[in-house]
Amino acid sequence: MLKYIVRRLLLIIPIVLIVSILVFLVIKMIPGDPITIMFGKNANAEQIAYVKTLYGLDKPLTEQYFTWAGNLLRGDWGSSIQSGEPVFQMIMERMPRTIALCFCGILVALVISIPTGVACARRHNSMLDLSLTIMNLTFISIPGFWLGMIFMLIFSVKLRLLPTSGYVSAQESLTGWMQCMILPTITTAATFFASLSRLMRSSMLEVLQQDYISLARIKGNTNGRVYYIHALRNSLIPLVTNIGLTMGYLMGGVVVIEKVFAYPGLGLLLINSITQRDYPLIQGILLIFAIIIVVINLLTDLAYMLIDPKIRFGYKKT
Amino acid sequence: MNKIGRKIKKGWRAITRSKKATIGFFMILILILIVIFAPWIAPYEVDEMNTGPVFSKPAQQHLMGTDHYGRDVFSRIIMGTRVSMRIGVVVTLLAVLIGVPLGLLAGYRNDLSGSFIMRTVDVMLCFPWVMAALCVAALIGGGEKVIIISLVFAYVPTFVRLMQGVVLSVREQEFVGAALVTGEKQISIIGRYILPNCMAPLIVEATLVMSFVILDEAAISYLGVGVQPPTPSWGVMLNEGSQYMWNAPYLSIFPGIAIALTVLGINLFGDGLRDILDPRYMGGLREL
């Protein structure tokens, strides 16, 4: 198992390397000179030359990449053009908030989707199954950020129960933090739980047809035990894969949700840096998002081993 | 003619087997009709200002009210169908056209080129394309073309993965072996035996991807970097509407409903198709 983990960890290196090249190129491939875009057409030649040497933009592309990547490894992610603050520090300040939002969202989504998925599979083709299926499809079809706007309209504008936007840190006031987390969390969960619930239903249905489930029934296990102890574990595997695979998608959604609620995470920082054309910051945030996705994919693979003894023991032998 | 008629009949019978597919089919049909006849359905010109008082509430004259320029929201939503569907269809088609051949190659050739394609796909799946789309669109000025290109990048890996998986299983079937033995060329084996067997999952995936693309476009346009105003994209309308959330909430409500209904129609159809084509998901379709 250790061998597998080490191999899986080593595989991250080339992936992160290529992703970093992609991030670098996406910004470089944008037509037009970033400096003229930054300063407008009025910049004089001296200013341009100064900024070019300052940011190393006058060097060949490969050299620029290696300098950039080398600095990244040393923890120097450049500094924001707008505020002058170090990019790495800005990112690290915001990242916990985005991760907290994603984590709470996924947690709420799982808490809703596992029981509903199991219930659908248990009463397959019943009214409950049908209505939950329709509900899931509807939620999949609703744009998450729009749902956020509607929630805001109902709970903040009309009922005045929760703050419309903004952020209070947990150290400042725990209840304040919870209040401003509720709507973004529910919105994130709402964009995610429906697909998980559907997946749970179909994978549970598949597992329930297997022989070992019949055996568990014959042995006299109660229904609850058969579903939640014997069947659930195996049907969780596709769910875990799906969480890993859709992480990129979820992150994209979180960016927009952060914008709706003015939640000061990485997403809002990205949008602001885009409007201010803050290239070092944009590069840094894109890279950190990619790294987060890579790490989550790794965690997904490791989570398999926890859930599925077949994989665990399979690797013990080799 | 008779043959085509029979095929349509057969297809129709298959679709009506699933309630979801039937409802989805009719929703998509209505959408297509709206796309075709949009200029005749919309009571006002899409950019016509001051069709009525600014911010007038939904009423008989303005079914969904008017916005901050006094433009008729209903007309804009109807015309917006064209924008969303156009982007959805073009992105999906391009992603299929690029992703399917690559997936076929990766699945059929189990050598270096195959694994090269798959590793590339793995990396591409780690890359936040929607965010990259956002950056590129914002920095070079947005617009439909940029959105389309970036979203194609985002969805090509999905099709490559899907096709590779399906081809791997189809390749092992006996009829492929038989074709190989009779000396058929590889390209004809792929075209005549493997591709037709991949069509079912491909069609299902394509419909579902199309619904995602429409949602993505709305999100990117909502952020103000996608389709540019005054083009009546639903995302743009939501962006404009969100600024008047307090006094004119209907400006944000109707475009969202339009997106949700469109995506729901496509999802219902795709989901129903999956039930029909892959009975495992339905469990009840024993007669197939």
Side-chain angles (χ1 to χ4, degrees), chain B residues 175-198:
Chain B
F175 59 80
V176 177
L180 265 176
V181 173
T182 52
E184 255 192 77
K185 281 187 189 143
Q186 291 207 344
I187 191 98
S188 116
I189 291 178
I190 293 180
R192 283 182 60 190
Y193 300 100
I194 293 184
L195 190 61
N197 279 295
C198 303

Side-chain angles (χ1 to χ4, degrees), chain A residues 123-300:
Chain A
R123 308 196 195 297
H124 183 213
N125 281 341
S126 67
M127 264 320 273
L128 177 84
D129 183 18
L130 188 73
S131 38
L132 282 177
T133 307
I134 291 173
M135 186 188 80
N136 284 341
L137 263 180
T138 314
F139 268 97
I140 289 178
S141 310
I142 295 176
F145 68 94
W146 179 70
L147 205 62
M149 288 162 75
I150 299 295
F151 283 153
M152 205 153 93
L153 200 67
I154 298 172
F155 295 104
S156 308
V157 179
K158 296 276 178 226
L159 300 176
R160 292 174 194 279
L161 286 177
L162 295 164
T164 43
S165 57
Y167 183 76
V168 182
S169 76
Q171 287 96 334
E172 248 174 85
S173 146
L174 196 63
T175 44
W177 177 76
M178 278 162 86
Q179 271 181 346
C180 56
M181 282 297 282
I182 290 177
L183 285 184
T185 302
I186 294 177
T187 311
T188 313
T191 56
F192 208 47
F193 88 88
S195 58
L196 288 184
S197 169
R198 268 155 52 100
L199 201 71
M200 191 67 224
R201 172 182 179 269
S202 61
S203 80
M204 191 80 178
L205 279 176
E206 219 159 289
V207 169
L208 284 179
Q209 283 172 2
Q210 290 182 10
D211 291 340
Y212 81 93
I213 295 295
S214 312
L215 181 70
R217 285 220 171 94
I218 293 166
K219 274 163 67 185
N221 282 307
T222 55
N223 254 343
R225 232 186 118 75
V226 170
Y227 286 114
Y228 281 97
I229 307 286
H230 293 267
L232 186 65
R233 205 162 167 158
N234 266 331
S235 43
L236 275 179
I237 298 171
L239 205 71
V240 172
T241 324
N242 191 265
I243 293 179
L245 280 178
T246 47
M247 216 47 218
Y249 196 77
L250 179 77
M251 288 276 177
V254 167
V255 170
V256 196
I257 290 170
E258 285 185 2
K259 162 86 178 164
V260 171
F261 292 102
Y263 181 90
L266 277 181
L268 196 65
L269 189 65
L270 177 68
I271 294 168
N272 290 342
S273 64
I274 287 173
T275 40
Q276 291 164 345
R277 306 194 176 284
D278 199 333
Y279 289 86
L281 198 52
I282 297 174
Q283 273 180 335
I285 299 172
L286 270 185
L287 187 68
I288 202 81
F289 267 121
I291 291 175
I292 292 176
I293 297 171
V294 173
V295 169
I296 288 169
N297 280 336
L298 170 79
L299 292 179
T300 324

Side-chain angles (χ1 to χ4, degrees), chain B residues 125-144:
Chain B
L125 281 172
C126 287
F127 196 71
W129 285 106
V130 175
M131 275 174 244
L134 204 74
C135 300
V136 177
L139 296 174
I140 66 173
E144 250 179 83

